[in-house]
Amino acid sequence: MIRFFQQGTIIVILILFLAAFPSFVQIDYGSQSLKWNFEQAPTLLVSFFSQILDGSLGTYELAGRERPIAEDIGDNFMTSLYIILAGVGIGIVFSLIFGIFISRFKLTRIVNAILNILAAVPDFILIIVSLILAIKFYKATGVRIVSLTPNASALNIWFPMLLTSIAPSLYLFKIVAVKYYQTSGEDFVRTAVAKGLRPNYINFQHVFKNIEPFINAELTKVISLAVGNLFVVEYLLNVPGITKFIFQNAEMQPVAIGLFSMLLMSLITYIAARIIIFVFKRGFIYE
């Protein structure tokens, strides 16, 4: 409990420092140097917590106009949460299906080779290429699968979900595929094969049970990759998500609120992923 409190305190201090960092740095054009101005720290902290306690959460600037954060943060938070939940969920499902349950088929080996090539390409490049291909597809067929307007409803949600899932899918698939081939060579799997047990039964009852701890251990990494993609996707596709409080403002209040919201989304996503894996295990695995 004490360790959890210490970690939480460090995270809060780090987020507040990052949010207030632009206010601490000043440029001295005469000497061409940077000057630190930490005298504003008490004032900024008092202002931040006072607005939190008042329930207003402060204001932020949008298209040259000042708007209250409390009025917009709910919808923006849910939009980003849907995207990151779907991105991580797609990554987990994709890695389990192609990494374990259909990995013995030849088609999966071809997919594995393609994914290994894509894994060497930076995520940002993959997102840009995907966006270009979506635009080319619209020009060729007239079917719009992506929109860059913030009020495009479904078009501004499902395609960002797919783009956000790229990094989690590639990373988790590689982890699961490696662990699958390692586990497949264990004696208990060979014994199950020698007994004539079906491949699906072996994958569910033996292989998955041994790979599950590695999946749970990598969830934090997977979520961090999804959050990194979320920043890029929401910025490029003009998605009205939580990152606009961070990108479009230099004030401490909206940036700190945005970062804390990101932390909360990551926690919710982690809990949801663990619950899904637990329910899947209880539903299909016989202890």
Side-chain angles (χ1 to χ4, degrees):
M1 186 65 182
I2 297 178
R3 182 179 179 183
F4 176 79
F5 179 77
Q6 291 175 341
Q7 291 177 342
T9 302
I10 293 174
I11 292 174
V12 170
I13 294 174
L14 180 60
I15 289 177
L16 292 177
F17 176 78
L18 291 175
F21 184 78
S23 301
F24 294 154
V25 179
Q26 293 180 345
I27 300 177
D28 188 348
Y29 293 98
S31 61
Q32 297 294 317
S33 61
L34 296 177
K35 289 187 176 181
W36 297 92
N37 184 18
F38 290 105
E39 291 80 5
Q40 299 185 44
T43 303
L44 292 174
L45 292 176
V46 170
S47 175
F48 174 78
F49 286 108
S50 63
Q51 294 187 74
I52 295 294
L53 294 176
D54 291 341
S56 64
L57 301 182
T59 60
Y60 75 104
E61 186 175 332
L62 178 65
R65 295 181 300 174
E66 193 173 82
R67 292 184 54 83
I69 297 176
E71 290 186 6
D72 298 342
I73 192 170
D75 294 337
N76 292 19
F77 180 85
M78 294 307 299
T79 298
S80 296
L81 181 61
Y82 292 149
I83 294 175
I84 194 172
L85 279 174
V88 173
I90 292 172
I92 293 175
V93 172
F94 179 87
S95 62
L96 289 179
I97 293 177
F98 284 89
I100 299 179
F101 300 117
I102 64 172
S103 59
R104 65 184 184 276
F105 298 116
K106 293 182 179 180
L107 178 60
T108 306
R109 298 175 184 176
I110 298 175
V111 174
N112 189 8
I114 295 174
L115 293 179
N116 286 332
I117 297 175
L118 293 177
V121 182
D123 301 336
F124 180 80
I125 302 299
L126 293 177
I127 293 174
I128 294 293
V129 172
S130 300
L131 184 57
I132 293 175
L133 292 177
I135 296 174
K136 294 289 186 181
F137 180 81
Y138 170 70
K139 291 182 178 180
T141 63
V143 178
R144 179 176 297 179
I145 61 176
V146 62
S147 176
L148 301 180
T149 58
N151 57 349
S153 62
L155 285 177
N156 238 26
I157 294 295
W158 79 267
F159 194 70
M161 288 178 178
L162 293 179
L163 296 183
T164 305
S165 68
I166 291 177
S169 299
L170 293 176
Y171 177 79
L172 196 55
F173 173 79
K174 291 181 63 178
I175 296 295
V176 172
V178 170
K179 295 301 179 182
Y180 176 81
Y181 286 113
Q182 290 179 350
T183 306
S184 299
E186 297 292 339
D187 292 336
F188 62 88
V189 175
R190 294 180 178 179
T191 302
V193 173
K195 290 181 178 180
L197 298 178
R198 292 175 302 172
N200 287 335
Y201 180 88
I202 296 174
N203 286 335
F204 275 104
Q205 306 302 325
H206 298 285
V207 177
F208 176 78
K209 288 169 62 176
N210 286 273
I211 294 180
E212 181 202 2
F214 296 98
I215 297 176
N216 291 333
E218 295 294 335
L219 276 180
T220 54
K221 176 66 173 180
V222 170
I223 294 173
S224 66
L225 291 173
V227 170
N229 277 11
L230 183 69
F231 275 91
V232 178
V233 169
E234 288 193 356
Y235 181 78
L236 292 179
L237 273 66
N238 199 23
V239 178
I242 205 70
T243 59
K244 76 176 184 179
F245 294 106
I246 303 172
F247 280 127
Q248 300 180 8
N249 298 269
E251 300 296 327
M252 175 184 175
Q253 194 76 20
V255 175
I257 295 296
L259 292 175
F260 279 117
S261 299
M262 281 289 183
L263 181 62
L264 179 59
M265 281 193 301
S266 301
L267 180 60
I268 294 174
T269 304
Y270 179 81
I271 294 174
R274 290 296 299 266
I275 291 175
I276 291 173
I277 294 174
F278 176 79
V279 171
F280 175 82
K281 180 179 178 180
R282 288 298 182 186
F284 292 95
I285 311 300
Y286 302 104
E287 298 292 346

